[in-house]
Structures are given as structure tokens and as C-alpha cells.
Amino acid sequence: MTTLELDDLLNEMRERHWAFHYFGLRHDPKAIGAVYDWRTCADVVILRDEEDATAFRVPTFPDTDVFAPEMVSWQYHAAAAWTLRAVLTLPQPGAPGAPIGLLTPAEKCAVPQEWRRPMSVRH
């Protein structure tokens, strides 16, 4: 996977209106989070580097912290490109094949509190 291919996947996320969260300094973040809100759930990506990324679908309620989920209905952990491909091809909620069960999230489904300040968001 080249950086150009990864950039194409990130551009596709921007075109689909994912919100990007930069944890730490914007020019040198500790991680980048991306969230797509489906109203009853959200698809979330945490990019740590090109070889370490996590994606998951989390049920959402008014007090849900999508970057520290208690339960997820789907999760995927791999290199950034594979992770972005997986989340971008996940069926939308309610569609055939969409995940519906609940799972305990892996530790990688959370962004540590100490990484969250400063944080900037770009829609």
C-alpha cells in the first residue's frame, strides 16, 4: 500500500463527510480519529500510523463516548489501508449483512484520555 492509495481512501472518507479528530497537536497528532454518524450508531476509525489502525461500529446514545466504547457491533484491527477499506465497505445499519450483535471492544478501540488534549475537529 502506497501513501497515495492511503490518501485516496482518506479522501473518500472526506467526500462521505466523516468528521476527523486530531488527538494532540494538529501537525503532529498522537492519533487521528474519524467518525461517521448513522444516528443510532457510529462508524469509528482510529489511525495510529500506517501499520496500526482500528475501526469499529458503536451503538450511540446521548452520552456515548465513541472513542471509549463499552460495546461494539463490529471491530477490525490491521494496517491503515486494510482498516479503511474494511470500514468503507461495511454495510450501512439495517442493510443485509450489517453487524447487529454486541461485542466487548478490544483495547485498541479506545483513545487514551491523556491523548485527547489538545484535540481539533474537522468536518
Side-chain angles (χ1 to χ4, degrees), residues 21 23 34-37 41-46 56 58-61 63-70 72 109-111 116:
H21 302 250
F23 298 104
V35 179
Y36 190 87
D37 184 7
C41 63
D43 289 338
V44 180
V45 173
I46 302 169
F56 54 92
V58 57
T60 54
F61 302 95
D63 61 344
T64 300
D65 180 351
V66 298
F67 293 113
E70 293 180 23
V72 298
C109 289
V111 175
R116 297 191 190 198

Side-chain angles (χ1 to χ4, degrees), residues 3-122:
T3 301
L4 181 58
E5 290 168 302
L6 186 55
D7 286 345
D8 288 344
L9 291 165
L10 290 168
N11 285 334
E12 183 174 342
M13 293 174 77
R14 286 183 194 96
E15 288 172 9
R16 293 186 188 189
H17 304 286
W18 285 65
F20 286 83
H21 302 250
Y22 298 84
F23 298 104
L25 301 174
R26 176 92 186 246
H27 66 278
D28 187 24
K30 295 178 190 268
I32 299 171
V35 179
Y36 190 87
D37 184 7
W38 293 101
R39 294 193 179 173
T40 59
C41 63
D43 289 338
V44 180
V45 173
I46 302 169
L47 299 169
R48 292 172 200 83
D49 62 43
E50 286 189 32
E51 298 304 319
D52 186 11
T54 295
F56 54 92
R57 180 168 284 170
V58 57
T60 54
F61 302 95
D63 61 344
T64 300
D65 180 351
V66 298
F67 293 113
E70 293 180 23
M71 300 300 285
V72 298
S73 59
W74 173 83
Q75 57 189 322
Y76 188 90
H77 314 279
W82 286 105
T83 301
L84 295 183
R85 281 190 199 115
V87 76
L88 289 170
T89 59
L90 192 63
Q92 69 182 26
I100 56 172
L102 291 177
L103 311 164
T104 300
E107 285 184 35
K108 287 189 166 196
C109 289
V111 175
Q113 287 295 330
E114 60 270 17
W115 288 13
R116 297 191 190 198
R117 296 284 183 253
M119 178 180 71
S120 57
V121 180
R122 181 176 174 203

